[in-house]
C-alpha cells in the first residue's frame, strides 16, 4: 500500500480532532458519521468500520484491539472496549466491554461496566450495571440485573443459551433475570447462570438464584436465594401438535411484567439518569441511545405478544382435529381471553402507563436524588442513596411494572 496516498476526508477529520488511528488507511469512516461525535483520544485499530449519524464514541474508548470491529449507529460512553466483532443499533455505557467475535444486534443496552467475553451474541438484550457474560453465549430477548460491583456481579457462564423461539414458532419469550424496580439501585444479590446450560423463556429468576452448570431451566424461580435442581429428563415421547397451545397464563403474565419492566426502565432514564448523564455530550448520546433501545424493546415485545394472541385462533379451532381431544375448559378460557382482550391490551401497552403512577413515591425519591453529588458518576451516586430513598424509588418503579401486569387477570 502506498503510505503517502491521500487519506479519506472523514479519517483526516478524526485525526485532526486527536482520534488515535495507528493504521489510518485501513479504517473506514462512512460519510454519515459526525466527526464531533467521536472524542479525541479514542483509539481505533486497523480494519474497523464506523457508520451512521447516530454513532457516538466517548473518551477513553478503544475499538478493535484484538480484531476488527464494525460499528453501525451505536453509542459508546467513556472507556468502552469493543475488542472485535459486529455491533449494530446498540448502546454501551461507561466501562462496558465486549471481547472478540461479538455479534451485537439492535435493542441491546449494556450499562456501566457490564460486558461479555469472546463470541457472545446479543439482540434485544439489556444488562444493568456490572452483569457479566462469559464466552460462547447466545443471550437474546432478556433483561438481567443483580450485583453490587465488578467483584460482586451477576454472571452467565460460558456456553449458555437463552432459548427464545418455541416449537410452536412464537417468540413471546422474554426473560427477567432479576428486575428493574430493585436492580437499578445496584444493591441486590447476584444471580448465577452456570455454564453449558440454558434458560427457556419466558422466565422470571429472583435475585440470589443459582442455576448450576449443565442445567437447562424451564420455569420461574420467584423466591430469592435458591439453587435450582432440575429433574432428569424423561426418556419418552408423546404426540405433539405444533399449533395447539395448552395453558398460557404464565406466558402472558411474564410477557406483561417484562413490558412493565421496560416501562419502568424508560421512566428511570427519563427522570433519573437525565441528571447523572447530563452535561457531557457522549453520555447524553448514550442516554438518548438507551431510550431508543428501550423503545425498540417495547415495540418488539408488543409485536411478539400480539403474534401469540393471533395464534389462539388456530389453537381454539383445531384442538380436536389435531389432537383428538378438546382443550380443558380452563385452558380454552385463557386462550379465548387473550384473543378477545388483545386489541384493548395492545392499545394500552402502546400508550404506556399514566404519568401519575407512583407519583408520591417518585417525588419523594427525586427530592433526595436531585440533591445528590453526581460528579463522581451515576453508580457512585446510586450507591450513596439512603435506604428511604431506595425504598421510595423502588415502590415508584414497581407500581409502573404492576400496571402492565394488571392488564391480565387470572381466569
Amino acid at each position: 500500500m502506498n503510505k503517502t496516498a491521500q487519506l479519506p476526508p472523514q479519517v483526516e477529520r478524526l485525526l485532526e480532532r486527536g482520534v488515535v488511528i495507528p493504521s489510518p488507511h485501513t479504517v473506514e469512516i462512512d460519510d454519515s458519521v459526525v466527526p464531533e461525535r467521536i472524542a479525541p483520544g479514542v483509539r481505533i485499530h486497523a480494519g474497523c468500520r464506523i457508520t451512521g449519524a447516530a454513532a457516538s464514541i466517548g473518551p477513553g474508548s478503544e475499538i478493535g484491539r484484538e480484531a476488527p470491529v464494525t460499528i453501525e449507529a451505536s453509542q459508546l460512553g467513556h472507556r468502552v472496549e469493543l475488542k472485535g466483532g459486529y455491533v449494530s443499533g446498540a448502546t454501551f455505557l461507561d466501562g462496558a466491554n465486549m471481547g472478540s467475535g461479538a455479534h451485537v444486534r439492535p435493542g441491546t443496552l449494556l450499562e456501566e461496566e457490564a460486558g461479555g467475553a469472546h463470541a457472545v451474541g446479543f439482540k434485544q438484550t439489556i444488562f444493568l450495571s456490572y452483569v457479566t457474560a462469559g464466552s460462547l453465549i447466545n443471550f437474546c430477548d432478556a433483561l438481567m440485573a443483580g450485583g453490587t460491583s465488578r467483584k460482586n456481579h451477576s454472571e452467565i457462564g460460558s456456553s449458555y443459551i437463552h432459548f427464545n423461539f418455541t416449537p410452536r414458532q412464537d417468540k413471546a419469550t422474554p426473560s427477567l433475570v432479576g428486575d428493574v424496580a430493585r436492580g437499578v439501585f445496584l444493591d441486590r444479590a447476584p444471580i448465577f447462570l452456570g455454564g453449558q446450560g440454558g434458560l427457556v423463556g419466558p422466565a422470571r429468576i429472583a435475585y440470589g438464584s443459582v442455576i448450576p452448570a449443565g442445567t437447562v431451566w424451564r420455569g420461574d424461580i420467584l423466591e430469592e436465594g435458591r439453587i435450582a435442581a432440575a429433574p432428569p429428563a424423561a426418556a419418552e415421547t408423546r404426540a405433539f401438535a405444533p399449533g395447539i397451545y395448552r395453558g398460557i397464563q404464565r406466558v402472558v403474565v411474564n410477557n406483561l411484567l417484562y413490558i412493565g419492566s421496560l416501562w419502568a426502565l424508560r421512566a428511570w432514564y427519563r427522570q433519573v439518569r437525565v441528571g447523572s448523564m447530563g452535561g457531557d455530550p457522549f453520555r447524553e448520546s448514550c442516554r438518548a441511545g438507551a431510550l431508543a433501545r428501550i423503545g425498540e424493546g417495547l415495540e418488539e415485545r408488543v409485536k411478539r405478544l400480539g403474534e401469540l394472541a393471533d395464534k389462539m385462533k388456530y389453537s381454539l379451532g383445531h384442538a380436536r382435529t389435531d389432537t383428538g381431544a378438546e382443550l380443558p375448559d380452563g385452558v380454552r378460557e385463557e386462550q379465548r381471553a387473550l384473543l378477545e382482550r388483545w386489541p384493548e391490551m395492545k392499545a394500552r401497552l402502546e400508550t404506556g402507563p399514566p404519568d401519575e403512577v407512583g407519583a408520591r413515591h417518585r417525588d419523594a425519591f427525586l427530592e433526595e436524588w436531585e440533591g445528590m453529588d453526581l460528579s463522581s458518576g451515576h453508580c457512585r451516586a446510586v450507591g450513596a442513596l439512603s435506604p428511604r430513598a431506595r425504598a421510595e424509588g423502588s415502590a415508584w418503579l414497581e407500581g409502573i411494572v404492576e400496571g402492565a401486569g394488571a392488564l391480565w387477570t387470572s381466569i
Side-chain angles (χ1 to χ4, degrees), residues 19-48:
V19 176
V20 179
I21 309 177
S23 301
H25 287 284
T26 72
V27 170
E28 296 181 29
I29 309 297
D30 189 76
D31 289 344
S32 61
V33 174
V34 180
E36 290 72 22
R37 291 172 67 90
I38 301 180
V42 166
R43 193 172 186 87
I44 304 175
H45 291 279
C48 292

Side-chain angles (χ1 to χ4, degrees), residues 75-407:
Q75 299 78 43
L76 283 58
H78 293 228
R79 306 178 309 283
V80 173
E81 289 187 73
L82 302 183
K83 297 177 182 177
Y86 172 78
V87 174
S88 179
T91 301
F92 301 81
L93 305 192
D94 293 0
N97 64 89
M98 294 293 292
S100 291
H103 194 254
V104 180
R105 290 178 284 169
T108 297
L109 167 62
L110 269 60
E111 291 194 340
E112 288 87 354
E113 298 188 50
H118 73 268
V120 171
F122 290 156
K123 176 177 67 67
Q124 296 290 333
T125 303
I126 297 176
F127 279 3
L128 300 195
S129 297
Y130 309 127
V131 175
T132 300
S135 301
L136 305 171
I137 285 172
N138 190 305
F139 204 78
C140 304
D141 297 296
L143 183 151
M144 188 165 180
T148 60
S149 68
R150 284 293 304 130
K151 293 183 177 181
N152 181 45
H153 58 81
S154 288
E155 170 85 13
I156 304 173
S158 295
S159 300
Y160 202 88
I161 297 175
H162 178 245
F163 296 101
N164 64 335
F165 186 73
T166 78
R168 294 180 175 86
Q169 301 189 7
D170 74 75
K171 294 191 76 173
T173 53
S175 289
L176 282 171
V177 186
D179 62 25
V180 169
R182 293 176 298 162
V184 294
F185 293 101
L186 309 178
D187 60 358
R188 299 289 102 185
I191 297 167
F192 182 83
L193 306 181
Q196 200 70 36
L199 179 66
V200 179
R204 285 184 286 154
I205 306 297
Y207 289 113
S209 296
V210 174
I211 300 180
T215 302
V216 175
W217 189 254
R218 291 176 166 82
D220 299 330
I221 303 176
L222 302 181
E223 184 179 351
E224 294 189 10
R226 308 292 290 179
I227 185 168
E236 62 181 36
T237 64
R238 56 182 175 173
F240 174 70
I244 307 304
Y245 285 78
R246 306 300 295 177
I248 59 168
Q249 172 91 356
R250 171 179 170 271
V251 171
V252 175
V253 168
N254 283 4
N255 270 265
L256 290 175
L257 292 177
Y258 193 96
I259 291 170
S261 296
L262 294 182
W263 283 353
L265 191 60
R266 181 173 62 184
W268 181 257
Y269 272 86
R270 284 176 172 174
Q271 300 188 57
V272 180
R273 280 188 173 267
V274 67
S276 56
M277 297 179 73
D280 178 293
F282 301 100
R283 291 190 176 114
E284 288 176 348
S285 291
C286 283
R287 192 180 77 91
L291 285 167
R293 305 293 83 80
I294 295 166
E296 291 161 4
L298 286 167
E299 291 179 6
E300 175 76 3
R301 299 279 57 95
V302 173
K303 171 186 173 183
R304 298 302 186 181
L305 189 55
E307 291 172 350
L308 177 67
D310 191 60
K311 287 176 179 288
M312 296 303 101
K313 299 173 186 175
Y314 185 94
S315 183
L316 288 164
H318 294 80
R320 175 177 287 276
T321 57
D322 288 11
T323 66
E326 289 283 3
L327 295 172
D329 288 345
V331 171
R332 291 186 66 84
E333 289 174 7
E334 288 179 11
Q335 295 187 14
R336 188 179 298 111
L338 178 59
L339 182 61
E340 293 175 353
R341 295 179 192 176
W342 177 246
E344 180 183 355
M345 288 173 63
K346 179 184 179 184
R348 294 177 66 181
L349 290 172
E350 291 178 338
T351 300
D355 291 340
E356 64 269 18
V357 171
R360 178 174 61 84
H361 296 295
R362 178 198 65 207
D363 293 346
F365 166 74
L366 290 176
E367 182 179 4
E368 178 170 322
W369 177 252
E370 290 170 356
M372 299 291 291
D373 177 8
L374 305 178
S375 61
S376 59
H378 177 82
C379 294
R380 288 192 178 183
V382 168
L385 285 166
S386 70
R388 176 182 174 275
R390 292 168 185 270
E392 295 285 6
S394 184
W396 161 44
L397 297 174
E398 187 59 37
I400 294 174
V401 177
E402 290 174 353
L407 296 179

Side-chain angles (χ1 to χ4, degrees), residues 5-15 24-25 27-29 31:
Q6 184 176 0
L7 291 170
Q10 287 285 71
V11 175
E12 284 191 342
R13 292 189 185 99
L14 293 182
L15 290 170
H25 287 284
V27 170
E28 296 181 29
I29 309 297
D31 289 344

